[in-house]
Amino acid sequence: MIYKLEKDKIIVTDKSQFNPKHILECGQVFRFGTDEQGNYFVISKDFKATIIEKENCYEIVSNNPEYFVKYFDLDTDYNLIKEKLKRNKVLSPMVDYGYGIRILKADSHEMIFSFIISQNNNIKRIQKIIDKLCTIGKVSDNYNCFPTIAELSDASLEFYQSLGAGYRDKFLKATADALKDVDLEEIKKLSTDEIYDFLIKLTGVGPKVASCILLFGFGKKDKFPVDTWIEQVYYNHFSSEKRSRPEIQRYFENEFKENSGLAQQYLFYFERENGK
DNA sequence: TTCCAGGCTATGT
DNA sequence: ACATAGCATGGA
């Protein structure tokens, strides 16, 4: 057990496998930042958490501690997984570099819209577009909740065009319409392959975006999304042999199996922080 | 100015 | 099934 759950906060007692900078800046979610005191905060769905560093622990202060225990995957021991992954000698130093990364259990429809926006885009602009999208979400405290599917499908094409999302605006509108009468809780009961087939039919969702949604929004930790950064880290550190993105994905998923998603995050974080 | 960013759709072969 | 042009926007 790496945490204690209290009424209004969580105490994370193992700093070796929980680091807010690593967790939030490795690109799995986009609604985060630092406050005036330099504390990281994150907004997910309807809830907000602020992470305060103490000498021997982190305190996660939030309006829903139970939600954030699941969100930060605190019942999983990442040190065991890290030992397994470090058997790969190329990955090993990258695990040490991003030692505090955890795979977040984010909201599924929030991930669908977030990663449609992410395609062929940069993280700074993705964050700005998502912030604007959230202005139609209800206000809680001093922040906007992520919009519900009803709010998203009620929004006009003109609204989506006002986000500065470029050509992705019509993808967002089409997906909002497609999800209007879908219960994602029912989709979650399907197999991974069946969920993938459902996701990839959505306009603006291809193999990479679907893999990200499965990994972060549906808890499918055996998925290894391949984007430009992963392509780069593959050629820089693993092989110079030319492979397509689906081939690179299969290569890594076969190498890292049920922990592919976490391995992918170490690689992505390392390359983004250290690559040019 | 040109290139690139957590790629996808549409349209060829 | 695989290859590639075009795509909106903004920052380096």
Side-chain angles (χ1 to χ4, degrees):
Chain A
M1 203 67 147
I2 67 157
Y3 70 97
K4 286 183 293 201
L5 180 59
E6 299 186 355
K7 273 196 273 298
D8 60 339
K9 64 185 174 188
I10 308 163
I11 315 287
V12 180
T13 51
D14 186 352
K15 281 189 167 183
S16 75
Q17 55 172 306
F18 182 98
N19 181 287
K21 176 179 166 62
H22 296 170
I23 293 169
L24 296 173
E25 300 207 358
C26 66
Q28 43 184 335
V29 291
F30 303 99
R31 302 194 73 199
F32 68 92
T34 53
D35 62 19
E36 303 76 37
Q37 288 80 40
N39 299 315
Y40 276 95
F41 66 86
V42 61
I43 300 167
S44 171
K45 205 173 175 179
D46 293 355
F47 312 114
K48 178 176 179 178
T50 301
I51 304 161
I52 301 156
E53 178 165 16
K54 303 286 183 182
E55 191 165 343
N56 294 312
C57 66
Y58 284 101
E59 289 185 5
I60 305 172
V61 180
S62 75
N63 45 8
N64 192 338
E66 291 84 3
Y67 177 83
F68 284 104
V69 167
K70 288 188 178 173
Y71 181 77
F72 286 110
D73 198 18
L74 294 179
D75 287 313
T76 301
D77 188 335
Y78 276 66
N79 282 340
L80 295 173
I81 304 172
K82 281 153 69 176
E83 287 312 307
K84 274 193 193 173
L85 291 177
K86 286 175 76 169
R87 291 177 200 159
N88 184 299
K89 290 307 163 198
V90 181
L91 184 64
S92 182
M94 303 180 186
V95 174
D96 291 333
Y97 181 81
Y99 64 89
I101 294 176
R102 310 178 72 81
I103 300 295
L104 296 173
K105 277 195 183 2
D107 183 65
S108 46
H109 89 265
E110 181 168 344
M111 291 300 99
I112 292 172
F113 285 88
S114 298
F115 278 96
I116 287 175
I117 292 167
S118 79
Q119 62 175 80
N120 197 28
N121 208 341
N122 62 73
I123 289 183
K124 246 196 150 68
R125 190 159 79 104
I126 296 166
Q127 290 179 315
K128 283 178 69 177
I129 296 166
I130 292 176
D131 277 346
K132 276 192 191 171
L133 179 67
C134 289
T135 57
I136 61 169
K138 65 177 184 291
V139 177
S140 168
D141 221 354
N142 60 342
Y143 63 90
N144 287 293
C145 299
F146 196 86
T148 62
I149 289 181
E151 287 166 335
L152 290 164
S153 54
D154 284 346
S156 64
L157 178 60
E158 288 71 30
F159 168 72
Y160 287 103
Q161 288 170 332
S162 75
L163 299 176
Y167 67 90
R168 307 166 194 80
D169 51 14
K170 43 191 177 300
F171 296 170
L172 295 169
K173 178 59 178 162
T175 294
D177 290 339
L179 292 181
K180 183 168 187 170
D181 299 310
V182 174
D183 183 0
L184 288 178
E185 294 308 310
E186 291 301 314
I187 302 294
K188 285 179 184 172
K189 297 173 182 170
L190 303 174
S191 72
T192 301
D193 288 344
E194 288 169 327
I195 302 173
Y196 182 88
D197 291 341
F198 166 79
L199 292 173
I200 207 155
K201 283 179 196 150
L202 298 170
T203 312
V205 177
K208 187 271 172 185
V209 168
S211 295
C212 284
I213 297 167
L214 281 171
L215 176 56
F216 306 123
F218 288 85
K220 303 302 181 186
K221 294 182 182 177
D222 54 342
K223 285 293 152 193
F224 191 103
V226 177
D227 63 4
T228 56
W229 293 100
I230 292 297
E231 206 171 28
Q232 199 177 114
V233 80
Y234 171 79
Y235 290 119
N236 285 346
H237 301 280
F238 286 86
S239 171
S240 54
E241 188 186 338
K242 173 75 179 165
R243 282 196 170 99
S244 69
R245 288 192 179 190
E247 285 169 337
I248 294 173
Q249 176 162 6
R250 282 194 291 275
Y251 168 84
F252 281 119
E253 287 181 354
N254 184 54
E255 172 71 18
F256 299 119
K257 306 290 187 200
E258 73 276 10
N259 298 312
S260 294
L262 183 61
Q264 193 267 8
Q265 287 302 101
Y266 289 126
L267 291 171
F268 179 84
Y269 184 64
F270 180 88
E271 195 66 12
R272 243 177 63 82
E273 299 283 317
N274 297 292
K276 61 170 179 46

